[in-house]
């Protein structure tokens, strides 16, 4: 029996995935077990979150999220409920992975460069005091903006970006690139290019205070601009401001070495994203007042979701 708002597919594979699985039912492959386990986890998460959006909509609560907008346009888009759930789920997976990797990389940088952390915290404190930062505060925090950009440059979440393809036949530096050629962008290499960046192997946010894109001055025409969004966007402003405002991050080997050492091969997980392996550090609230504000903010958010946040 189905509960209101549920679908018969919530505990089964969506139709295309079910078809692929049935094609291989005669094969004893390890990936099939992993696939079923992953799909069950996806359904448990995706549909639970989507039911919450539906509940809030029925209660007349206004949501500006993508899922709510999709629900509003469901009839015009001619999409089934399950399809909308999985579209939202794909976006959730992509955003969660990159955001988590970025924040882990950021904390690792702050632990290894305590002077950067202290300078950023001073800027945040000067801008907001004991008030919890909001999204508009980033405009008055140029150094925090520089830290976000420098984290993307120094440890790009997608070091080869997302695969692209050439739309037409193209020529680049006397190389012919045929139409529909798969293209991977060496973002990591570009962001560490000593011809573009001063001290490229160092985490140095100040470079973005000296020039908008962090590159060296006096570069030849055509080489002096590098998109600051090349690594992977910069939409984590609020999370970064609040982490800096709320917490201290200290190396367990305190004091941290004056010259931090990096080992990309051993400190980071293998994969298409550049994500730090689990590491140890001390994370503590900066004051009892800030801790109280954090708890009140969390309680308010939890209550807005019907007490379902853990």
């Amino acid at each position: 029996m189905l509960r209101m708002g549920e679908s018969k597919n919530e505990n089964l594979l969506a139709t295309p995935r079910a078809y692929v699985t049935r094609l291989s039912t005669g094969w004893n492959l390890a990936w099939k077990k992993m696939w079923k386990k992953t799909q069950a986890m996806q359904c448990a998460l995706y549909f639970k979150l989507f039911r919450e959006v539906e509940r809030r909509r029925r209660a007349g609560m206004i949501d500006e999220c993508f899922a709510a907008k999709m629900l509003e346009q469901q009839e015009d888009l001619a999409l089934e409920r399950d399809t909308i759930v999985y579209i939202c789920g794909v976006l959730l997976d992509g955003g969660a992975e990159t955001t988590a990797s970025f924040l882990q990389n950021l904390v690792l940088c702050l632990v290894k460069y305590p002077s950067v952390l202290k300078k950023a915290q001073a800027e945040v404190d000067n801008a907001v005091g004991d008030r919890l930062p909001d999204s508009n505060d980033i405009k008055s925090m140029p150094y925090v903006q520089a830290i976000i950009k420098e984290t993307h440059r120094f440890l790009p979440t997608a070091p080869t970006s997302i695969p692209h393809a050439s739309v037409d036949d193209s020529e680049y530096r006397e190389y012919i690139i045929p139409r529909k050629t798969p293209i991977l962008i060496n973002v990591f290499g570009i962001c560490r290019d000593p011809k573009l960046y001063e001290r490229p192997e160092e985490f140095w946010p100040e470079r973005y205070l000296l020039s908008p894109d962090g590159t060296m001055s006096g570069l030849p025409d055509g080489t002096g601009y590098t998109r600051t969004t090349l690594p992977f966007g910069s939409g984590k402003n609020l999370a970064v401001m609040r982490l800096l405002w709320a917490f201290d991050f200290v190396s367990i080997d305190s004091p941290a070495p004056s010259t931090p050492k990096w080992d990309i091969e051993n400190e980071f997980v293998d994969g298409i994203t550049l994500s730090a392996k689990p590491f140890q550090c001390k994370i503590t609230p900066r004051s009892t007042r800030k801790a109280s504000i954090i708890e009140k903010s969390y309680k308010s958010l939890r209550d807005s979701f019907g007490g379902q946040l853990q």
Side-chain angles (χ1 to χ4, degrees):
M1 180 177 294
L2 298 177
R3 291 180 294 176
M4 184 65 68
E6 286 189 338
S7 141
K8 63 183 180 181
N9 287 330
E10 292 197 18
N11 294 313
L12 300 171
L13 291 172
T15 302
R17 300 184 177 192
Y19 178 71
V20 172
T21 302
R22 291 192 189 101
L23 286 178
S24 58
T25 51
W27 305 338
N28 185 20
L29 299 175
W31 66 264
K32 286 167 52 181
K33 294 181 180 179
M34 183 175 69
W35 177 258
K36 290 179 180 179
K37 181 179 179 180
T38 301
Q39 191 276 334
M41 294 171 64
Q42 286 179 332
C43 278
L45 176 62
Y46 295 170
F47 284 92
K48 177 182 178 181
L49 292 175
F50 198 75
R51 284 195 296 270
E52 176 61 20
V53 174
E54 291 174 320
R55 181 194 69 80
R56 291 169 63 85
R57 189 173 183 230
R58 289 193 301 269
M61 303 173 74
I62 299 175
D63 280 323
E64 297 296 330
C65 69
F66 180 80
K69 296 298 183 183
M70 291 285 284
L71 267 177
E72 291 176 8
Q73 302 176 48
Q74 181 176 3
E75 187 174 340
D76 294 337
L77 296 172
L79 294 175
E80 295 182 357
R81 179 174 180 268
D82 288 6
T83 303
I84 293 177
V85 172
Y86 270 95
I87 290 173
C88 296
V90 167
L91 294 177
L92 176 65
D93 283 349
E97 167 99 14
T98 54
T99 300
S101 296
F102 168 80
L103 292 175
Q104 275 188 282
N105 294 345
L106 169 71
V107 171
L108 184 58
C109 288
L110 295 177
V111 167
K112 291 196 176 193
Y113 293 86
S115 62
V116 172
L117 172 63
K118 295 303 180 185
K119 185 174 180 178
Q121 288 176 330
E123 182 179 72
V124 173
D125 292 345
N126 184 60
V128 304
D130 278 336
R131 170 177 63 81
L132 193 66
D134 62 42
S135 56
N136 293 319
D137 292 319
I138 193 65
K139 301 172 186 176
S140 59
M141 301 181 191
Y143 192 67
V144 173
Q145 293 180 49
I147 288 175
I148 294 170
K149 293 174 182 178
E150 178 68 344
T151 303
H152 280 302
R153 183 203 68 84
F154 191 65
L155 297 172
T157 304
T160 57
S161 187
I162 298 172
H164 290 63
S166 51
V167 178
D168 299 303
D169 293 343
S170 306
E171 182 177 346
Y172 178 72
R173 295 186 178 179
E174 300 183 358
Y175 288 93
I176 302 299
I177 303 175
R179 180 173 175 267
K180 295 186 178 180
T181 299
I183 297 173
L184 294 175
I185 302 171
N186 184 10
V187 174
F188 188 91
I190 294 171
C191 291
R192 299 290 184 105
D193 188 348
K195 296 178 181 178
L196 293 176
Y197 296 99
E198 183 180 353
R199 297 149 58 184
E201 299 297 328
E202 182 180 338
F203 183 76
W204 183 44
E206 283 78 2
R207 72 178 78 248
Y208 288 98
L209 301 180
L210 300 175
S211 67
D213 60 357
T215 55
M216 294 186 293
S217 61
L219 293 174
D221 291 343
T223 60
Y225 175 75
T226 303
R227 283 168 41 201
T228 56
T229 56
L230 183 63
F232 205 98
S234 304
K236 291 85 178 176
N237 298 344
L238 183 60
V240 174
M241 284 190 295
R242 291 188 171 182
L243 284 174
L244 293 169
W245 174 86
F247 300 105
D248 279 320
F249 304 90
V250 181
S251 170
I252 59 170
D253 300 321
S254 186
S258 57
T259 304
K261 296 181 180 180
W262 292 91
D263 186 346
I264 295 295
E265 288 190 12
N266 294 313
E267 285 187 290
F268 292 82
V269 178
D270 292 336
I272 61 173
T273 59
L274 186 62
S275 306
K277 290 181 179 179
F279 60 92
Q280 291 185 323
C281 67
K282 299 176 184 177
I283 303 177
T284 55
R286 296 178 61 204
S287 70
T288 54
R289 176 168 173 74
K290 283 182 169 61
S292 176
I293 293 173
I294 294 168
E295 291 173 355
K296 289 179 181 178
S297 177
Y298 173 77
K299 183 178 184 301
S300 175
L301 180 62
R302 183 186 62 192
D303 292 345
S304 71
F305 279 88
Q308 297 188 32
L309 294 180
Q310 299 298 319

